[in-house]
Amino acid sequence: MGRQPCCEKIGLKRGPWTWEEDQKLMNFILNNGIQCWRLVPKLAGLMRCGKSCRLRWMNYLRPDLKRGALTEPEEDMIIELHSRLGNRWSKIAAHFPGRTDNEIKNHWNTRIKKKMKLLGLDPLTHKRMEATPDSESKENQHGLEDQETVSSSKDGQMWQKAEGGMVSCTYDDYDESCIKNLMMGGSAMAQNTESLGTWPMDPFQNWIDNPFLWDSFNHFDYRFC
DNA sequence: AATTACACCAACCGCTTGGAG
DNA sequence: CCTCCAAGCGGTTGGTGTAAT
């Protein structure tokens, strides 16, 4: 038994993509757009499965991708978003134009997790972990408590810290206020970062300036399937 | 210079979701 | 409704580069 493979894998290439493969996929999508990933490798002359092509395009070839390491403000915002969205990387990535869910997920697993542990925070719950000898100063405790601005119950209800106590809010409500807060430099964690005022506007500007605008593919609306 | 340990990230796997028929 | 299938998504793996010994 078991699940059927997503595609016929016999004879298909796996592993790292070559420059030639990238060119083929890039040229095909730029000329034809994407209508059906399963047909893309066949029509583009690639010995890959559609899923692999999709991933390569989404995570590496897309012209609107922002290259380079994630910045401090981006990192802070990831932490903030993760505290209420959990491991929903695509939702988190949606707040970062030009960044992929895979990139954010990798960054979380390799760096942010470690950083949080060093700060005495549980990366899963974003709450303080069991007190350790060097994390017990009152100053530290105060600072960390202030970061616990939101929690969610099992039924998905969000509770946001407000004057006079906790108030309930929807994910969307919280989303708005959180982003606004970060944009205005209102987050305690983001306040230390100098470039916050220009972000995330810059990636958006890049998008506008980019000659390979994603929108430019919209006119490729004829069907392959 | 060689070996080992570690960090990073691209790519894969398999489950879930959503739309078409 | 129900079934099927493509796409989306998140967890995990494995290859590669670099630092430490």
Side-chain angles (χ1 to χ4, degrees), chain A residues 12 31 39 49 67-68 102-103 113 117 135 163 178 182 198:
Chain A
L12 290 187
N31 288 325
L39 292 179
C49 79
R67 308 282 178 182
N102 205 32
E103 186 181 11
K113 256 183 171 176
K117 279 175 186 168
S135 67
E163 270 184 70
C178 166
L182 277 163
T198 60

Side-chain angles (χ1 to χ4, degrees), chain A residues 128 137-148 188:
Chain A
R128 264 182 297 118
S137 82
K138 281 199 172 180
E139 204 177 351
N140 277 345
Q141 286 183 13
H142 182 72
L144 295 171
E145 271 163 11
D146 279 351
Q147 287 167 19
E148 292 168 10

Side-chain angles (χ1 to χ4, degrees), chain A residues 29-118:
Chain A
I29 293 174
L30 289 175
N31 288 325
N32 304 290
I34 309 151
Q35 296 301 326
C36 176
W37 280 112
R38 219 150 89 122
L39 292 179
V40 165
K42 272 185 194 166
L43 297 172
L46 290 161
M47 299 301 288
R48 297 272 180 175
C49 79
K51 216 170 177 178
S52 179
C53 292
R54 178 188 158 271
L55 209 66
R56 183 64 178 171
W57 174 258
M58 293 298 193
N59 290 336
Y60 191 81
L61 296 174
R62 257 165 58 199
D64 60 306
L65 283 181
K66 186 182 172 187
R67 308 282 178 182
L70 283 142
T71 63
E72 277 279 320
E74 282 177 305
E75 214 172 73
D76 291 339
M77 193 160 163
I78 290 169
I79 294 168
E80 185 78 35
L81 289 165
H82 185 272
S83 72
R84 60 194 172 81
L85 295 173
N87 292 358
R88 284 184 276 185
W89 304 113
S90 64
K91 300 271 181 215
I92 293 172
H95 292 280
F96 300 87
R99 300 292 192 188
T100 68
D101 55 350
N102 205 32
E103 186 181 11
I104 289 172
K105 180 174 62 181
N106 281 334
H107 192 76
W108 175 268
N109 286 329
T110 57
R111 296 186 208 180
I112 300 180
K113 256 183 171 176
K114 245 180 266 171
K115 194 175 165 183
M116 289 183 75
K117 279 175 186 168
L118 277 174

